[in-house]
Amino acid sequence: MNTSQKTAEITRGGLLRFNIGHVLQVLAMLALLAACHGQALLPSAQYGFRDAAHFYYPLNLRVQMEWDAGRWPLWEPEENGGVPLLGNPTAAVLYPLKIVFFILPYPAAAKAYILIHQVLCWFSFRLLCRGIGLSSRASWLGATTFAFGVPVLYQYCNIIFLIGAAWLPLGLLAGWRWIETGQWKYIVRLALVIAMQILGGDPQVGYITLLCLFGLGFWQGLTDRSRLWLSRLCHPAMLFFWVLLLVGGTVLASHFPRPPREVRIGGISTAERLFFSRNLWQMVGWGLVGLVLVNRWRRGWKSQAMPRHFAGVIMATILGAGLSAAQLLPVFEYNSLSIRAAAEGPHDIFPFSLEPYRLVELIWPRPFGTVEGENSYWMNLLPPRNNHKQWVPSLYHGLPAFLLAASVLGYRRVDPRVKACSILLAVSLLAAIGEFTGPLWWLRRLPGLEAASFVGPPDETDVAAIRLDGYSRDGDGSFYWLLAEIFPGFRTFRYPAKMLTFASLAIALLAGLAWDTLASAGLRKRLIRLMSCIIAVSLILVIGLLLFSSSFKGWMQAADATISSAYGPVSTDSALRKTIASLLHSAVVSVSLLFLLKHPIERSRVFAGFCLLVVVDLAMANAIHVRFVPQALFDAESKITKIIEEAEKASPTPGGYYRVHRMPIWNPPGWNLKRSPDRTRDFVEWEHSTIQPKYGITQGVSYTITEGTTELYDYWWFFGPFLRRANPEAAQALGIAVGSEIAYHPRRGFDMWNTRYFVTPGWPSDWKDDKRSFASFLFETEPLYPDTRLKTDKSLKNEFEVWAKEEDVQIFRNKQAFPRAWIVHEMRNYPHVTGLKRRDREAVMTEILYQNDPFWRDSGREAFDPGVTCWIDQADQPKVAPFMPGRVRQGSSESVKIDSYSPQRVELTANLEKPGMVILADVYYNGWILEVDGKPAEIIRANRMMRGALLRSGTHKLVYTYAPSSFRLGGRISIASGLALMALSWLAYKPGKNTKGSPGLA
């Protein structure tokens, strides 16, 4: 055989091995995809857990309904008096991959949308691994670890975060390649990724991606001397000093409580306002950093790398934001008026903090049991007891990947790529732990420490974002708090556990880097030691649990674990079995990996066995977390909707338009006492039947208030519950003691906003729980469901118990509901309101909402009638006063009728005897324009959040149209940015303009 023949044979053999290897990797990924998402291929199944069911399924369908109607999805009238649909970031209206909803029937598209991004997670991470110089096999391991580790896999039920995770690796790759090579094409790619993350609904991932790139660009641009100086500042001893400084400052500050300025009595000086302004100090701090950098660059900036690094990332950010401006500007507009923008709004940044002991889930997949099938989840017994908010049910990424990652983890004198990933992992996990890294959380709870007298008491459960007593929050002084204080806008993202996506990325990269260095004898020794430790600890724990099983089960029973969950009582036997199974799972995987590592990893058979081990490990451990329910549950008509429709046929609402208030969050009490083979199905079936928001928005239901994360702040004021003491009349009506506290929902707010029906729990708890107390909805209403005989007829006792435990829902019809539109001729003024300050609104909102009902009586207040009087901002008084001559005669023939009502256009006909104002009980919001008799007219802000139209006497035609300028301006910016990106792409990809860069981090 001559040389050319040998070369050809070698080439064919290499291609064959290449093809077989890649086919094996793809097949392994598809097998894992089938194990986790296989039911998605069945037409009868649908993703049905948490937000995937009650939030994204109806929301994305509502968006598609607007497209199908031939309209831009700009406005949704079914929630909160109307909300921007394009301005809702979770709706991801303009996200390009939503084209799948145009191609497939909606139920299939809802599943395909999730599957596409799950696969994209895998491929994008593989590209990142290959881009930083990892081998094909290492890239497969990294991609599989990232895409099918629980922190990413579980985001199927919160799709916008799966979208962010899918684009994250491509953003990091493009930014890193720009820093390494300086080629303009990577600016183009980074801009596109940023736009995709924003349009997909997860700007937080884009924000943190940019922070990572700025950090990398900063490090790469430093001189050796500067790196040495910075390394000394980050030396473990110095880090310990910084931690002590932070802890000491936090503890000292907490000893001097100071009530928030929002609730202090008296004026606040400008100096005081500036001194306590977080935004001011952020601007000052980053301004000083900028001045220092500019001073260093002013000489020879052309020859320095750091200015180029920063300029490119900034340019990509501007282009990415510009490309998404058509959606981004409406989102900014909406968020700037929402409860997120109000410092004293009902929100908090620390929920879903990761309990530190849950880090053991990196080694054992389900050590605390599960809620799937028979409830065996016993973590609620651990601190903070019964107050766990779980972002993901596990941290498991597969034991082989974790072991490989742990074996190379390091910061000093290691591969720069390992160093970068190790830092990212440490920062991500510290941030994800959230409030539990703060000293106050521990000082206030450690038994026997008695530190509460010095640093104040712990936060109450479900406390708002500020403490009215002036003490620091439990999470103040934590690492996540520090990030929120340092980086502008970081606080608005909330939820520390979302940082687990970046921890997953770091673990997956470290695993890939370790695979490529498995030939190292030192690495293999560390791996063997780690595996031996895990095997030994797992077996010791298993033996201990078996020996002390009765004590373990007795501890759970004594701690009342059987009544702590809506998934039913905890089965102590099942909890013991599943904990032992989790321990044995990791022991078996470790033994299997030990056997594989006895052979050279270069052999294809060894890698095939490794692939099989990884796939089986992840499938057995993680596939259980992807849950499906029958598609028929989503297609069925809700029981509550049917009852309301029948009630409307029997007694139509005057004017034909009405809203429904479905109290947002509760579960039937019987679920805590009874096990279920499929509680996920129970959740969907019951929530859909009782129209839990947002299930009703695609069924013609208009909700008065749906609680989420971005309600308009001024609208929320109409419905925010507060505690009242029961007077004798209220106590007698509710059967409680005089003076008992009652959670009161301002009834007049619901009446004014056209609430015709109340859907409430059947059981009020102790009337103090604002999620269950329906005291406000009892007077001036009539019960529709269940039949009143069910509660009074003793012969129906069994039926009553079934209803109370398993259904737990009531419907009341409101006799006091205002129409959707009415006419007033009198007004009251209130001081001009600017910004989102609580105290500026408190007086006027109290006056509007007070109606002297049985649950809220105050002899010092006067109750006004919103049916004849409106409240007007003092700034609008001059233009409104001429139209307020006083109320009309009794028996007047004045009327207002809604002729048509669609999402972006409302038409009314009004007949007035004398000048007045027509009030439409839809939210006052930028973008709505009014024409009266074909001529433009001004919309007046009436009753703080309603639309008012000033009219002369006579008959008039009113037309409201939604045409937001933010969308038009954003669209123009997006087009201009698209043209700029095309020009940059032409320059970047023009032949001869690019040079090839070398992989690797300096």
Side-chain angles (χ1 to χ4, degrees):
M1 183 181 295
N2 58 33
T3 304
S4 60
Q5 289 174 325
K6 288 182 179 180
T7 303
E9 184 66 25
I10 291 172
T11 303
R12 284 194 296 269
L15 288 173
L16 181 62
R17 287 193 297 272
F18 173 84
N19 291 334
I20 292 176
H22 281 72
V23 168
L24 173 64
Q25 294 172 25
V26 173
L27 288 177
M29 183 273 290
L30 292 176
L32 196 48
L33 188 69
C36 297
H37 297 274
Q39 291 187 60
L41 301 178
L42 302 175
S44 59
Q46 183 61 256
Y47 294 100
F49 189 61
R50 283 179 43 167
D51 291 12
H54 67 252
F55 191 91
Y56 291 103
Y57 189 92
L59 178 61
N60 287 330
L61 177 56
R62 189 65 189 84
V63 171
Q64 197 57 34
M65 288 168 65
E66 287 297 285
W67 286 119
D68 293 343
R71 295 188 292 260
W72 286 91
L74 302 178
W75 190 262
E76 181 208 327
E78 290 85 7
E79 294 183 85
N80 301 340
V83 293
L85 196 53
L86 181 62
N88 180 356
T90 57
V93 170
L94 301 181
Y95 180 53
L97 291 188
K98 275 204 163 183
I99 193 173
V100 67
F101 291 103
F102 294 88
I103 299 172
L104 299 173
Y106 184 79
K111 294 182 286 188
Y113 192 51
I114 292 172
L115 286 172
I116 288 170
H117 288 95
Q118 184 72 74
V119 174
L120 182 58
C121 280
W122 192 86
F123 277 104
S124 65
F125 199 90
R126 184 179 173 83
L127 288 174
L128 172 62
C129 291
R130 297 296 282 162
I132 66 171
L134 297 186
S135 68
S136 174
R137 293 176 176 181
S139 299
W140 177 88
L141 174 60
T144 304
T145 300
F146 178 72
F148 294 98
V150 177
V152 172
L153 174 69
Y154 192 69
Q155 298 312 323
Y156 79 93
C157 64
N158 216 330
I159 182 62
I160 63 171
F161 301 119
L162 183 61
I163 293 171
W167 291 103
L168 169 61
L170 296 180
L172 290 175
L173 176 60
W176 171 73
R177 293 297 288 167
W178 156 253
I179 292 169
E180 282 292 295
T181 68
Q183 296 179 25
W184 288 100
K185 64 181 180 182
Y186 297 113
I187 295 296
V188 174
R189 296 178 187 178
L190 180 57
L192 288 172
V193 169
I194 292 170
M196 287 294 191
Q197 290 172 329
I198 294 173
L199 293 174
D202 192 9
Q204 179 180 9
V205 166
Y207 184 99
I208 301 175
T209 300
L210 293 173
L211 289 182
C212 292
L213 293 178
F214 276 117
L216 180 60
F218 175 78
W219 179 260
Q220 293 288 82
L222 291 176
T223 62
D224 291 339
R225 182 179 177 183
S226 298
R227 290 184 183 182
L228 180 61
W229 179 79
L230 188 61
S231 296
R232 289 173 178 170
L233 283 179
C234 297
H235 189 276
M238 287 300 297
L239 289 177
F240 182 72
F241 170 76
W242 299 127
V243 170
L244 283 181
L245 189 64
L246 178 62
V247 170
T250 302
V251 172
L252 186 63
S254 66
H255 184 61
F256 301 98
R258 181 175 176 81
R261 68 169 186 267
E262 291 84 0
V263 298
R264 267 182 257 149
I265 298 174
I268 302 173
S269 67
T270 302
E272 185 180 18
R273 184 179 295 111
L274 291 175
F275 183 81
F276 288 101
S277 170
R278 177 187 300 107
N279 294 333
L280 173 66
W281 289 112
Q282 285 176 339
M283 288 189 294
V284 169
W286 286 108
L288 291 175
V289 171
L291 289 175
V292 171
L293 291 176
V294 169
N295 182 60
R296 290 179 60 88
W297 296 342
R298 62 189 179 90
R299 295 181 180 178
W301 63 272
K302 291 183 179 181
S303 61
Q304 297 184 47
M306 196 182 300
R308 175 179 61 82
H309 297 163
F310 285 5
V313 174
I314 291 171
M315 180 184 296
T317 303
I318 294 172
L319 284 173
L323 288 172
S324 58
Q327 181 174 299
L328 189 60
L329 290 189
V331 168
F332 279 155
E333 181 180 56
Y334 183 37
N335 280 354
S336 67
L337 300 172
S338 74
I339 58 175
R340 284 200 175 193
E344 62 269 37
H347 54 269
D348 186 8
I349 68 170
F350 296 114
F352 298 101
S353 294
L354 180 74
E355 297 84 352
Y357 52 78
R358 286 193 61 195
L359 293 177
V360 301
E361 294 171 359
L362 292 167
I363 300 172
W364 297 290
R366 296 186 295 275
F368 306 107
T370 67
V371 295
E372 289 83 3
E374 192 175 26
N375 184 15
S376 61
Y377 192 67
W378 54 272
M379 198 179 79
N380 284 332
L381 305 181
L382 301 176
R385 186 177 170 187
N386 286 331
N387 191 29
H388 298 273
K389 291 189 175 181
Q390 194 180 80
W391 184 253
V392 291
S394 174
L395 305 182
Y396 198 66
H397 295 80
L399 188 57
F402 173 75
L403 288 170
L404 286 166
S407 67
V408 296
L409 188 68
Y411 171 71
R412 302 173 68 83
R413 291 186 290 274
V414 295
D415 184 326
R417 295 173 297 177
V418 171
K419 179 184 295 187
C421 293
S422 300
I423 294 172
L424 179 60
L425 179 59
V427 169
S428 302
L429 287 179
L430 282 173
I433 293 172
E435 66 180 346
F436 300 115
T437 61
L440 298 182
W441 194 95
W442 297 94
L443 289 173
R444 289 168 174 173
R445 287 172 176 81
L446 285 177
L449 193 58
E450 302 297 335
S453 60
F454 188 84
V455 296
D459 291 347
E460 294 181 6
T461 304
D462 295 328
V463 73
I466 58 175
R467 284 180 57 148
L468 301 184
D469 60 7
Y471 281 102
S472 302
R473 296 299 309 276
D474 286 346
D476 289 356
S478 65
F479 185 71
Y480 193 81
W481 170 88
L482 186 64
L483 295 177
E485 294 297 313
I486 291 176
F487 297 112
F490 195 93
R491 176 173 288 269
T492 62
F493 295 125
R494 311 183 306 160
Y495 302 164
K498 287 193 286 186
M499 293 296 294
L500 287 173
T501 298
F502 288 84
S504 294
L505 181 136
I507 290 172
L509 284 175
L510 286 169
L513 289 164
W515 177 268
D516 278 347
T517 55
L518 264 179
S520 166
L523 181 63
R524 282 178 173 252
K525 288 181 180 179
R526 286 195 295 273
L527 268 175
I528 291 171
R529 284 197 296 267
L530 285 172
M531 287 183 283
S532 301
C533 287
I534 289 173
I535 293 169
V537 172
S538 298
L539 294 179
I540 291 171
L541 290 175
V542 168
I543 294 170
L545 286 172
L546 290 174
L547 290 175
F548 298 98
S549 59
S550 58
S551 300
F552 179 68
K553 291 188 287 186
W555 168 69
M556 286 192 285
Q557 292 167 349
D560 294 327
T562 55
I563 59 171
S564 61
S565 172
Y567 287 91
V570 175
S571 169
T572 56
D573 290 331
S574 178
L576 179 62
R577 288 196 307 270
K578 290 186 178 180
T579 299
I580 290 175
S582 175
L583 297 170
L584 291 176
H585 175 100
S586 293
V588 171
V589 172
S590 296
V591 170
S592 303
L593 189 58
L594 268 173
F595 174 78
L596 286 173
L597 288 181
K598 289 181 179 179
H599 304 85
I601 62 169
E602 295 82 5
R603 294 181 181 178
S604 297
R605 284 178 294 179
V606 175
F607 181 69
F610 181 79
C611 285
L612 180 62
L613 177 62
V614 169
V615 169
V616 172
D617 176 28
L618 289 172
M620 292 182 63
N622 295 352
I624 193 174
H625 299 302
V626 183
R627 305 182 211 169
F628 292 84
V629 297
Q631 174 65 43
L633 296 182
F634 295 95
D635 298 334
E637 185 180 2
S638 298
K639 180 178 181 178
I640 299 301
T641 303
K642 290 180 182 178
I643 295 172
I644 291 175
E645 288 176 351
E646 291 171 0
E648 280 294 297
K649 290 178 182 177
S651 178
T653 298
Y657 294 92
Y658 61 88
R659 291 191 174 98
V660 177
H661 175 56
R662 198 276 194 190
M663 294 181 69
I665 303 172
W666 84 87
N667 295 313
W671 288 1
N672 286 29
L673 306 173
K674 181 181 178 181
R675 296 187 178 96
S676 171
D678 190 352
R679 187 63 85 202
T680 299
R681 175 172 180 159
D682 296 340
F683 275 125
V684 175
E685 187 171 19
W686 181 80
E687 290 172 352
H688 187 273
S689 175
T690 61
I691 58 173
Q692 175 172 309
K694 306 180 180 275
Y695 278 120
I697 64 175
T698 59
Q699 303 179 50
V701 176
S702 291
Y703 293 99
T704 305
I705 177 72
T706 59
E707 295 184 9
T709 58
T710 52
E711 295 82 40
L712 292 170
Y713 185 56
D714 281 302
Y715 186 80
W716 177 86
W717 266 89
F718 283 89
F719 314 104
F722 51 89
L723 294 176
R724 297 287 303 171
R725 295 284 181 181
N727 56 38
E729 182 182 1
Q732 183 178 1
L734 301 179
I736 58 177
V738 175
S740 299
E741 289 188 324
I742 305 169
Y744 177 80
H745 299 77
R747 174 60 182 275
R748 173 168 279 180
F750 294 93
D751 295 344
M752 291 176 65
W753 286 94
N754 188 217
T755 308
R756 178 68 163 167
Y757 298 95
F758 297 113
V759 181
T760 75
W763 172 59
S765 186
D766 57 359
W767 296 106
K768 190 178 177 180
D769 181 358
D770 63 2
K771 301 296 188 296
R772 276 193 168 270
S773 174
F774 50 87
S776 311
F777 311 132
L778 289 175
F779 67 93
E780 292 300 322
T781 60
E782 57 180 322
L784 293 180
Y785 181 84
D787 192 318
T788 53
R789 293 176 301 170
L790 192 66
K791 299 181 180 180
T792 58
D793 192 338
K794 293 183 179 179
S795 65
L796 300 175
K797 180 181 178 181
N798 292 336
E799 290 85 345
F800 172 77
E801 289 182 355
V802 171
W803 167 80
K805 292 180 179 179
E806 302 299 328
E807 191 169 5
D808 189 30
V809 65
Q810 301 182 91
I811 309 176
F812 299 94
R813 179 157 50 196
N814 186 7
K815 298 178 182 179
Q816 295 186 157
F818 280 45
R820 186 65 60 91
W822 67 93
I823 302 170
V824 297
H825 297 279
E826 296 179 354
M827 73 172 184
R828 289 183 61 79
N829 299 322
Y830 58 85
H832 181 53
V833 174
T834 58
L836 298 178
K837 298 173 185 172
R838 181 183 183 88
R839 64 179 184 168
D840 290 347
R841 291 159 170 76
E842 199 157 20
V844 62
M845 289 307 303
T846 301
E847 185 174 286
I848 292 173
L849 295 175
Y850 179 71
Q851 63 177 3
N852 197 31
D853 62 45
F855 301 102
W856 187 11
R857 295 200 187 281
D858 188 342
S859 58
R861 294 187 182 277
E862 180 181 358
F864 297 92
D865 182 4
V868 297
T869 302
C870 67
W871 282 261
I872 300 297
D873 192 297
Q874 199 167 36
D876 293 327
Q877 180 182 3
K879 66 183 80 166
V880 176
F883 292 85
M884 295 290 137
R887 68 184 64 184
V888 296
R889 59 183 173 82
Q890 194 171 11
S892 168
S893 61
E894 285 191 334
S895 64
V896 56
K897 176 188 175 186
I898 297 178
D899 300 318
S900 69
Y901 195 97
S902 62
Q904 299 174 37
R905 185 179 176 89
V906 181
E907 299 181 10
L908 306 91
T909 299
N911 179 34
L912 285 74
E913 288 188 355
K914 56 183 179 179
M917 176 183 287
V918 171
I919 293 179
L920 177 64
D922 283 355
V923 296
Y924 177 91
Y925 192 81
N926 294 333
W928 282 96
I929 57 177
L930 170 65
E931 287 187 354
V932 176
D933 300 327
K935 298 180 181 178
E938 183 179 359
I939 300 176
I940 302 298
R941 186 179 191 130
N943 300 334
R944 285 299 304 142
M945 272 306 281
M946 294 179 178
R947 301 178 207 161
L950 299 173
L951 301 176
R952 301 291 179 186
S953 57
T955 302
H956 302 278
K957 180 73 172 180
L958 290 75
V959 178
Y960 286 95
T961 307
Y962 187 57
S965 58
S966 59
F967 175 53
R968 294 195 300 273
L969 175 61
R972 296 189 185 106
I973 294 174
S974 293
I975 293 172
S977 299
L979 293 175
L981 197 69
M982 290 172 62
L984 184 61
S985 300
W986 181 81
L987 291 174
Y989 287 93
K990 189 176 181 181
K993 291 293 183 181
N994 288 312
T995 59
K996 185 176 181 180
S998 58
L1001 292 174

